[in-house]
Amino acid sequence: MPADGVSHIEMRDRIGGGLLGVAAGDALGATLEFMTAADIRRRYGVHREIIGGGPFHWRPGQGTDDTDLTWAVLCAYLDGPYSLERVARNMLRWFDTGPPDVGGATARALGRLDRTGDPRTSGNTGERSCGNGSLMRCIPTALARPDDATRHRELAEISAVTHAHIRCIDSCVAYGEIVNGLLEGARVPEALAAARALHMDPAVRSALDIDPRLPVERLRTSGYVIDSLGCAVWAVQQEYTFEEVIVALVNRGRDTDTTGAIAGGLVGVLQGIESIPPRWRRKLEYHDRLVGAVPQLVGLREAAS
């Protein structure tokens, strides 16, 4: 059964909100990737519709690498039993299609994985490999695994397939802790407190401690994993609608699709699937697949509880 305080219907709503929140934030932000906030204002005023385009000429609602790799990880649970090797095969299958937008650390790691076949040694550990490429795809594990030890282990090992630096690993584990807390009915401060109680890299702790009163103009929306985690933690503490929060973040520019995806996952879990504007949901190419995965994820949680 779902955890105390969260009904079966609420669990489905929150899990669906998390998955579609990633896809919606990704698709909204894809149009603006690499632009500055000033460039966005000049061209769009305020960008608030999923229209595609951007530097990689996306179709409206098409998933970028954020949603594609979230789906690759998710399928390792849906097609179970889970194994890291299954995750790695799914990632390589995606990589072999020649996607137009692949982060540098991800491309190097998956190239190494293709040569060696070993997902436990493929990830990048250097200081220049602290991007958000594993954080953007980590929500399926948090949705599927209510057991703390299992969730932490799988979040860490999946991150390390491409991003093995401790900041990336700890960011995924902390993000997963917040998602799990919200799914179990914790309020936002309680979910954040659970994440802060974990032993983690000091930079990750600083992201968890971001001041929610900061104006959005003060947020950094780069591809650095700490910046992305901080934006998501800021977003989940705002008393605004899903649309208002995600629009505000992607209009900051820079790594807009991934910032939107990571924050969208947290806010979607908190506010539920109906909080995501229907006009956005209708455009998402992954919509039916993600919604179709929800019952199985609920079942995985119930079986482990």
Side-chain angles (χ1 to χ4, degrees):
M1 296 294 291
D4 291 343
V6 178
S7 71
H8 187 92
I9 293 174
E10 288 173 320
M11 184 67 73
R12 290 173 64 104
D13 183 51
R14 293 183 186 204
I15 289 176
L19 292 175
L20 290 187
V22 169
D26 178 25
L28 183 71
T31 306
L32 310 178
E33 192 174 9
F34 308 133
M35 295 179 71
T36 67
D39 290 337
I40 294 167
R41 285 194 299 272
R42 282 193 292 269
R43 182 165 181 178
Y44 297 102
V46 177
H47 174 70
R48 60 175 66 252
E49 302 300 334
I50 293 176
I51 60 173
F56 298 101
H57 309 291
W58 304 108
R59 298 183 299 273
Q62 181 181 5
T64 77
D65 55 334
D66 302 77
T67 308
D68 285 346
L69 284 172
T70 296
W71 179 250
V73 173
L74 177 58
C75 285
Y77 293 94
L78 303 180
D79 302 336
Y82 164 86
S83 71
L84 184 62
E85 288 71 22
R86 189 185 299 275
V87 173
R89 286 196 299 271
N90 291 348
M91 288 183 182
L92 281 179
R93 191 175 296 119
W94 168 80
F95 190 53
D96 287 344
T97 67
D101 184 18
V102 186
T106 297
R108 290 190 296 273
L110 292 182
R112 191 176 303 116
L113 174 63
D114 193 36
R115 293 191 299 272
T116 67
D118 185 359
R120 291 172 175 81
T121 60
S122 55
N124 301 282
T125 60
E127 285 289 325
R128 298 187 66 184
S129 299
C130 287
N132 52 20
S134 62
L135 185 60
M136 72 188 192
R137 64 174 193 247
C138 76
I139 200 168
T141 305
L143 299 176
R145 297 299 198 217
D147 176 70
D148 291 346
T150 303
R151 185 176 64 256
H152 296 170
R153 181 181 68 253
E154 293 177 5
L155 283 165
E157 68 183 12
I158 294 172
S159 175
V161 173
T162 56
H163 292 71
H165 194 285
I166 192 61
R167 281 182 217 142
C168 300
I169 290 171
D170 283 357
S171 291
C172 290
V173 172
Y175 185 94
E177 197 70 17
I178 300 166
V179 169
N180 186 70
L182 295 174
L183 284 178
E184 292 187 345
R187 296 185 179 184
V188 172
E190 297 166 333
L192 291 175
R196 292 177 184 126
L198 300 172
H199 178 74
M200 67 186 71
D201 183 271
V204 176
R205 182 171 299 281
S206 72
L208 295 175
D209 289 337
I210 192 168
D211 187 346
R213 297 168 298 181
L214 280 175
V216 69
E217 292 80 13
R218 296 275 302 278
L219 299 180
R220 294 172 57 87
T221 52
S222 75
Y224 180 37
V225 68
I226 301 303
D227 289 344
S228 298
L229 179 61
C231 285
V233 171
W234 177 89
V236 82
Q237 296 180 84
Q238 302 306 304
E239 295 183 359
Y240 297 106
T241 66
F242 182 96
E243 178 176 352
E244 289 167 338
V245 172
I246 303 306
V247 165
L249 279 176
V250 302
N251 277 271
R252 291 292 302 134
R254 302 190 72 184
D255 197 6
T256 48
D257 56 333
T258 306
T259 300
I262 294 168
L266 275 194
V267 180
V269 169
L270 174 66
Q271 297 188 11
I273 197 168
E274 295 299 323
S275 71
I276 302 168
R279 72 183 192 281
W280 289 1
R281 281 185 270 142
R282 285 192 294 267
K283 288 189 175 181
L284 299 177
E285 293 185 359
Y286 271 95
H287 178 275
D288 291 352
R289 278 178 280 178
L290 294 174
V291 171
V294 171
Q296 195 166 343
L297 287 171
V298 173
L300 287 170
R301 289 190 72 88
E302 290 178 349
S305 296

